[in-house]
Amino acid sequence: MDLLDRAHEKGISVCLGLSMDKERHGFDYDDKEAVAKQHEEIRQEVLKYKDHPAVIIWGIGNELNLRYTKTSMWHAVNNVSKMIHELDPHHLTTTMTAGITQENVNEITEKCQDLDLLAVNTYGGLPSLSDNLKKFGWDKAYIVTEWGPTGHWEVPQTEWGVAIEETTTEKAKVYQESYEASMKKDAEKCLGSYVFLWGQKQERTHTWYGLFMESGAPTEVVDAMQYNWTGKWPEERAPHIDSIRLDGKSALQNVYFNPGKQYRAQVFAEDVDFDKTQVEWEIYHESTDLKEGGDREQKPDLLKDLFAQGNRPVLQFNAPEEEGAYRVFVYLKKEKINRVATANIPFYVTK
């Protein structure tokens, strides 16, 4: 309740998520007793929050269509929507899908007729979302409940199978262009959007999806969102990164190193005055705690003693002795405005 109070104080409306168990986590939507128990738990949540002035939409479940097999799940969603409308006729209902397919639209149209609008979580597919919804026959209103950089499942991978992350400069461009190509393009049917993640989390890396660093410092993607929402850039913007290289190679060139040997990392940023910009470097093990659907992941270990920390765009470091996959991270920070640009590049130590 405290979070809703704070949102209302700041004039922020809330699409309040109502958690529903997922089939991919073991929930059986053909188990009538389990479904009834969940339905009652959600009913209590609705009664608790339905009169709060911050609430504008009820979000019934999140990405229930990810790895599902039983269409009985959609009936459960529709029954929750009916229950909400009986208890609270003043607010809309929706369910958040992971992407959207023709099959999803067909099933929602047939089995979830009580929903007021559609909600879609999408990343690289955002620019084509409005066209796809029209093609799939969805002619009602919709919102985008999760969008951001190119997803880790949508980008190129190295030869050893790890995803290559965009720099924050590349991400900022994606955020700006995606917003222009989607929400502004279809303002009649698209009622709004929620950019992900207005915070920070570990998902493949600790920099992939968060608009902020773990310290709370905003990345340059926040600059792009200010422009999207206001039409104006900040007076002082975050640093930009042109590229990052390991011994002159990009991530697409599949960087292999020998254990213990010294190598060179370099960040290129043409418009950055490195005498006035803090540069920090880190090397991590490649993440192995890989989940899907945003499930919580454990951040990999930071490697120490591979280099002497310096405030320069060039880093000399020793490759780890242990064979395996790693990443070099770099952070450019303008101290005066506390805004950060980030980049990383994977490499593999082989014997």
Side-chain angles (χ1 to χ4, degrees), residues 152-325:
H152 59 261
W153 61 95
E154 299 168 314
V155 297
Q157 293 190 345
T158 65
E159 291 176 340
W160 54 95
V162 302
I164 299 172
E165 183 177 349
E166 299 163 329
T167 68
T168 47
T169 302
E170 292 168 328
K171 291 175 188 177
K173 184 178 180 181
V174 168
Y175 278 70
Q176 185 182 350
E177 292 179 349
S178 294
Y179 191 85
E180 290 282 346
S182 56
M183 273 70 82
K184 283 192 174 182
K185 175 183 176 182
D186 196 17
E188 180 182 352
K189 294 289 177 64
C190 182
L191 304 186
S193 69
Y194 296 87
V195 64
F196 181 87
L197 169 75
W198 202 253
Q200 190 276 339
K201 69 178 293 194
Q202 166 73 30
E203 192 167 355
R204 289 315 185 269
T205 75
H206 57 279
T207 57
W208 201 300
Y209 293 100
L211 275 71
F212 293 80
M213 301 296 294
E214 291 170 284
S215 66
T219 70
E220 59 181 311
V221 176
V222 175
D223 292 357
M225 288 311 305
Q226 177 174 323
Y227 178 81
N228 286 340
W229 287 335
T230 69
K232 297 180 181 179
W233 294 100
E235 290 185 10
E236 291 197 63
R237 295 174 60 180
H240 303 311
I241 292 177
D242 299 323
S243 65
I244 182 173
R245 295 286 188 271
L246 290 180
D247 266 19
K249 294 181 179 180
S250 71
L252 290 171
Q253 292 175 289
N254 298 298
V255 183
Y256 291 93
F257 288 154
N258 294 319
K261 291 190 64 176
Q262 189 174 89
Y263 295 96
R264 173 188 175 100
Q266 185 168 5
V267 59
F268 296 89
E270 185 176 335
D271 296 331
V272 172
D273 183 347
F274 284 104
D275 290 330
K276 298 180 180 179
T277 302
Q278 181 179 340
V279 184
E280 295 182 1
W281 295 90
E282 290 181 325
I283 300 177
Y284 283 87
H285 284 280
E286 183 64 39
S287 178
T288 56
D289 185 29
L290 307 181
K291 305 291 176 58
E292 63 178 353
D295 293 350
R296 184 176 296 279
E297 297 179 4
Q298 184 69 35
K299 186 177 179 180
D301 292 333
L302 173 68
L303 292 167
K304 300 179 180 179
D305 302 324
L306 296 178
F307 59 87
Q309 180 66 54
N311 185 26
R312 308 307 307 163
V314 176
L315 176 73
Q316 300 288 345
F317 69 98
N318 295 321
E321 295 287 349
E322 181 182 351
E323 183 173 1

